Amino acid sequence: MPYITSMFMPRRRGDRPLPAPRGSKNLAFVSQFVEIPDDVVFTVEYSVRAAQMAVYELLGIERKIPPVTPHDKSFHAEFEALIKALK
């Protein structure tokens, strides 16, 4: 088992596998240790999105994965964080 802090270690884009590696017919990864662009690791949504990506890819399901919510660009989220930081 990896340590809990391993998810937050410095890394580069692409150093984790995709949920369903290109060309894979029967292998997929579902966890916090796969590459999902623009998503934040250590959330339930990340794990669910990884599983959806893997299953949809392997089974050829033509459904859209729910988009990543860009909280880092949300003025409301930044303002709430500022308020909490000043308390």
Side-chain angles (χ1 to χ4, degrees):
M1 292 293 292
Y3 292 108
I4 191 72
T5 57
S6 64
M7 289 185 241
F8 305 107
M9 297 299 291
R11 63 184 203 89
R12 292 185 310 262
R13 186 177 296 269
D15 66 354
R16 294 178 181 177
L18 295 171
R22 289 182 184 93
S24 177
K25 301 289 184 201
N26 61 359
L27 172 74
F29 302 101
V30 290
S31 74
Q32 305 260 325
F33 295 96
V34 297
E35 187 72 37
I36 300 177
D38 301 322
D39 206 345
V40 178
V41 72
F42 205 69
T43 63
V44 173
E45 290 83 5
Y46 195 96
S47 297
V48 171
R49 189 172 284 111
Q52 285 178 318
M53 291 171 77
V55 169
Y56 291 1
E57 178 73 24
L58 290 179
L59 297 179
I61 297 172
E62 296 292 328
R63 291 178 86 184
K64 290 189 177 187
I65 303 295
V68 175
T69 305
H71 291 294
D72 63 329
K73 295 177 178 49
S74 165
F75 177 73
H76 178 71
E78 290 178 0
F79 183 72
E80 290 292 318
L82 177 65
I83 296 298
K84 288 179 182 177
L86 295 176
K87 285 186 177 182

PDB file of all heavy atoms in Angstrom, residues 32-46:
ATOM      1  N   GLN A  32      -6.657   6.260  -7.334  1.00  0.00           N
ATOM      2  CA  GLN A  32      -6.184   7.635  -7.281  1.00  0.00           C
ATOM      3  C   GLN A  32      -4.834   7.789  -7.992  1.00  0.00           C
ATOM      4  O   GLN A  32      -4.297   8.878  -8.051  1.00  0.00           O
ATOM      5  CB  GLN A  32      -6.021   8.051  -5.815  1.00  0.00           C
ATOM      6  CG  GLN A  32      -7.267   7.863  -5.002  1.00  0.00           C
ATOM      7  CD  GLN A  32      -8.024   9.142  -4.804  1.00  0.00           C
ATOM      8  OE1 GLN A  32      -7.431  10.188  -4.675  1.00  0.00           O
ATOM      9  NE2 GLN A  32      -9.321   9.064  -4.793  1.00  0.00           N
ATOM     10  N   PHE A  33      -4.310   6.706  -8.515  1.00  0.00           N
ATOM     11  CA  PHE A  33      -2.980   6.733  -9.104  1.00  0.00           C
ATOM     12  C   PHE A  33      -2.997   6.582 -10.622  1.00  0.00           C
ATOM     13  O   PHE A  33      -2.124   5.968 -11.208  1.00  0.00           O
ATOM     14  CB  PHE A  33      -2.103   5.655  -8.462  1.00  0.00           C
ATOM     15  CG  PHE A  33      -1.862   5.918  -7.014  1.00  0.00           C
ATOM     16  CD1 PHE A  33      -2.645   5.310  -6.052  1.00  0.00           C
ATOM     17  CD2 PHE A  33      -0.887   6.805  -6.604  1.00  0.00           C
ATOM     18  CE1 PHE A  33      -2.441   5.568  -4.710  1.00  0.00           C
ATOM     19  CE2 PHE A  33      -0.681   7.079  -5.268  1.00  0.00           C
ATOM     20  CZ  PHE A  33      -1.468   6.453  -4.315  1.00  0.00           C
ATOM     21  N   VAL A  34      -4.022   7.137 -11.262  1.00  0.00           N
ATOM     22  CA  VAL A  34      -4.084   7.171 -12.714  1.00  0.00           C
ATOM     23  C   VAL A  34      -4.058   8.631 -13.158  1.00  0.00           C
ATOM     24  O   VAL A  34      -4.263   9.536 -12.364  1.00  0.00           O
ATOM     25  CB  VAL A  34      -5.349   6.461 -13.259  1.00  0.00           C
ATOM     26  CG1 VAL A  34      -5.340   4.995 -12.907  1.00  0.00           C
ATOM     27  CG2 VAL A  34      -6.610   7.119 -12.769  1.00  0.00           C
ATOM     28  N   GLU A  35      -3.813   8.829 -14.417  1.00  0.00           N
ATOM     29  CA  GLU A  35      -3.709  10.179 -14.977  1.00  0.00           C
ATOM     30  C   GLU A  35      -5.062  10.649 -15.495  1.00  0.00           C
ATOM     31  O   GLU A  35      -5.623  10.057 -16.410  1.00  0.00           O
ATOM     32  CB  GLU A  35      -2.692  10.180 -16.125  1.00  0.00           C
ATOM     33  CG  GLU A  35      -2.379  11.543 -16.685  1.00  0.00           C
ATOM     34  CD  GLU A  35      -1.540  12.371 -15.753  1.00  0.00           C
ATOM     35  OE1 GLU A  35      -0.653  11.846 -15.082  1.00  0.00           O
ATOM     36  OE2 GLU A  35      -1.793  13.592 -15.700  1.00  0.00           O
ATOM     37  N   ILE A  36      -5.600  11.682 -14.866  1.00  0.00           N
ATOM     38  CA  ILE A  36      -6.820  12.330 -15.345  1.00  0.00           C
ATOM     39  C   ILE A  36      -6.495  13.824 -15.450  1.00  0.00           C
ATOM     40  O   ILE A  36      -6.294  14.487 -14.435  1.00  0.00           O
ATOM     41  CB  ILE A  36      -8.007  12.108 -14.390  1.00  0.00           C
ATOM     42  CG1 ILE A  36      -8.307  10.610 -14.238  1.00  0.00           C
ATOM     43  CG2 ILE A  36      -9.238  12.853 -14.904  1.00  0.00           C
ATOM     44  CD1 ILE A  36      -9.410  10.310 -13.256  1.00  0.00           C
ATOM     45  N   PRO A  37      -6.413  14.340 -16.670  1.00  0.00           N
ATOM     46  CA  PRO A  37      -6.024  15.738 -16.848  1.00  0.00           C
ATOM     47  C   PRO A  37      -6.937  16.711 -16.112  1.00  0.00           C
ATOM     48  O   PRO A  37      -8.157  16.545 -16.092  1.00  0.00           O
ATOM     49  CB  PRO A  37      -6.124  15.951 -18.357  1.00  0.00           C
ATOM     50  CG  PRO A  37      -6.054  14.579 -18.937  1.00  0.00           C
ATOM     51  CD  PRO A  37      -6.667  13.664 -17.928  1.00  0.00           C
ATOM     52  N   ASP A  38      -6.341  17.706 -15.499  1.00  0.00           N
ATOM     53  CA  ASP A  38      -7.033  18.823 -14.846  1.00  0.00           C
ATOM     54  C   ASP A  38      -7.900  18.431 -13.657  1.00  0.00           C
ATOM     55  O   ASP A  38      -8.715  19.224 -13.212  1.00  0.00           O
ATOM     56  CB  ASP A  38      -7.886  19.597 -15.853  1.00  0.00           C
ATOM     57  CG  ASP A  38      -7.063  20.152 -16.993  1.00  0.00           C
ATOM     58  OD1 ASP A  38      -5.927  20.596 -16.728  1.00  0.00           O
ATOM     59  OD2 ASP A  38      -7.541  20.137 -18.136  1.00  0.00           O
ATOM     60  N   ASP A  39      -7.756  17.236 -13.127  1.00  0.00           N
ATOM     61  CA  ASP A  39      -8.541  16.832 -11.970  1.00  0.00           C
ATOM     62  C   ASP A  39      -7.659  16.859 -10.726  1.00  0.00           C
ATOM     63  O   ASP A  39      -6.434  16.883 -10.817  1.00  0.00           O
ATOM     64  CB  ASP A  39      -9.113  15.428 -12.167  1.00  0.00           C
ATOM     65  CG  ASP A  39     -10.385  15.205 -11.372  1.00  0.00           C
ATOM     66  OD1 ASP A  39     -10.671  16.006 -10.461  1.00  0.00           O
ATOM     67  OD2 ASP A  39     -11.087  14.229 -11.661  1.00  0.00           O
ATOM     68  N   VAL A  40      -8.298  16.865  -9.569  1.00  0.00           N
ATOM     69  CA  VAL A  40      -7.600  16.937  -8.293  1.00  0.00           C
ATOM     70  C   VAL A  40      -7.653  15.572  -7.624  1.00  0.00           C
ATOM     71  O   VAL A  40      -8.739  15.038  -7.368  1.00  0.00           O
ATOM     72  CB  VAL A  40      -8.241  17.993  -7.367  1.00  0.00           C
ATOM     73  CG1 VAL A  40      -7.548  18.026  -6.022  1.00  0.00           C
ATOM     74  CG2 VAL A  40      -8.204  19.348  -8.023  1.00  0.00           C
ATOM     75  N   VAL A  41      -6.482  15.026  -7.371  1.00  0.00           N
ATOM     76  CA  VAL A  41      -6.405  13.717  -6.737  1.00  0.00           C
ATOM     77  C   VAL A  41      -6.916  13.805  -5.298  1.00  0.00           C
ATOM     78  O   VAL A  41      -7.004  14.887  -4.728  1.00  0.00           O
ATOM     79  CB  VAL A  41      -4.952  13.192  -6.794  1.00  0.00           C
ATOM     80  CG1 VAL A  41      -4.059  13.944  -5.856  1.00  0.00           C
ATOM     81  CG2 VAL A  41      -4.888  11.714  -6.529  1.00  0.00           C
ATOM     82  N   PHE A  42      -7.282  12.685  -4.719  1.00  0.00           N
ATOM     83  CA  PHE A  42      -7.723  12.583  -3.328  1.00  0.00           C
ATOM     84  C   PHE A  42      -9.154  13.063  -3.138  1.00  0.00           C
ATOM     85  O   PHE A  42      -9.513  13.606  -2.121  1.00  0.00           O
ATOM     86  CB  PHE A  42      -6.768  13.345  -2.387  1.00  0.00           C
ATOM     87  CG  PHE A  42      -6.797  12.807  -0.972  1.00  0.00           C
ATOM     88  CD1 PHE A  42      -6.281  11.574  -0.688  1.00  0.00           C
ATOM     89  CD2 PHE A  42      -7.337  13.543   0.056  1.00  0.00           C
ATOM     90  CE1 PHE A  42      -6.304  11.077   0.600  1.00  0.00           C
ATOM     91  CE2 PHE A  42      -7.363  13.055   1.351  1.00  0.00           C
ATOM     92  CZ  PHE A  42      -6.847  11.820   1.617  1.00  0.00           C
ATOM     93  N   THR A  43      -9.965  12.872  -4.148  1.00  0.00           N
ATOM     94  CA  THR A  43     -11.389  13.147  -4.014  1.00  0.00           C
ATOM     95  C   THR A  43     -12.157  11.917  -4.465  1.00  0.00           C
ATOM     96  O   THR A  43     -11.654  11.101  -5.242  1.00  0.00           O
ATOM     97  CB  THR A  43     -11.835  14.351  -4.871  1.00  0.00           C
ATOM     98  OG1 THR A  43     -11.613  14.041  -6.252  1.00  0.00           O
ATOM     99  CG2 THR A  43     -11.098  15.617  -4.493  1.00  0.00           C
ATOM    100  N   VAL A  44     -13.368  11.810  -4.002  1.00  0.00           N
ATOM    101  CA  VAL A  44     -14.227  10.697  -4.427  1.00  0.00           C
ATOM    102  C   VAL A  44     -14.499  10.805  -5.922  1.00  0.00           C
ATOM    103  O   VAL A  44     -14.502   9.807  -6.641  1.00  0.00           O
ATOM    104  CB  VAL A  44     -15.542  10.684  -3.626  1.00  0.00           C
ATOM    105  CG1 VAL A  44     -16.504   9.652  -4.173  1.00  0.00           C
ATOM    106  CG2 VAL A  44     -15.269  10.443  -2.164  1.00  0.00           C
ATOM    107  N   GLU A  45     -14.699  12.029  -6.397  1.00  0.00           N
ATOM    108  CA  GLU A  45     -14.985  12.231  -7.812  1.00  0.00           C
ATOM    109  C   GLU A  45     -13.854  11.705  -8.691  1.00  0.00           C
ATOM    110  O   GLU A  45     -14.100  11.163  -9.762  1.00  0.00           O
ATOM    111  CB  GLU A  45     -15.219  13.717  -8.108  1.00  0.00           C
ATOM    112  CG  GLU A  45     -16.502  14.263  -7.545  1.00  0.00           C
ATOM    113  CD  GLU A  45     -16.392  14.674  -6.076  1.00  0.00           C
ATOM    114  OE1 GLU A  45     -15.290  14.618  -5.497  1.00  0.00           O
ATOM    115  OE2 GLU A  45     -17.429  15.038  -5.512  1.00  0.00           O
ATOM    116  N   TYR A  46     -12.622  11.859  -8.243  1.00  0.00           N
ATOM    117  CA  TYR A  46     -11.470  11.376  -9.006  1.00  0.00           C
ATOM    118  C   TYR A  46     -11.540   9.867  -9.166  1.00  0.00           C
ATOM    119  O   TYR A  46     -11.365   9.332 -10.264  1.00  0.00           O
ATOM    120  CB  TYR A  46     -10.177  11.776  -8.287  1.00  0.00           C
ATOM    121  CG  TYR A  46      -8.930  11.658  -9.130  1.00  0.00           C
ATOM    122  CD1 TYR A  46      -8.429  12.767  -9.793  1.00  0.00           C
ATOM    123  CD2 TYR A  46      -8.238  10.467  -9.244  1.00  0.00           C
ATOM    124  CE1 TYR A  46      -7.279  12.693 -10.545  1.00  0.00           C
ATOM    125  CE2 TYR A  46      -7.085  10.373 -10.000  1.00  0.00           C
ATOM    126  CZ  TYR A  46      -6.610  11.489 -10.649  1.00  0.00           C
ATOM    127  OH  TYR A  46      -5.475  11.414 -11.406  1.00  0.00           O
TER     128      TYR A  46
END
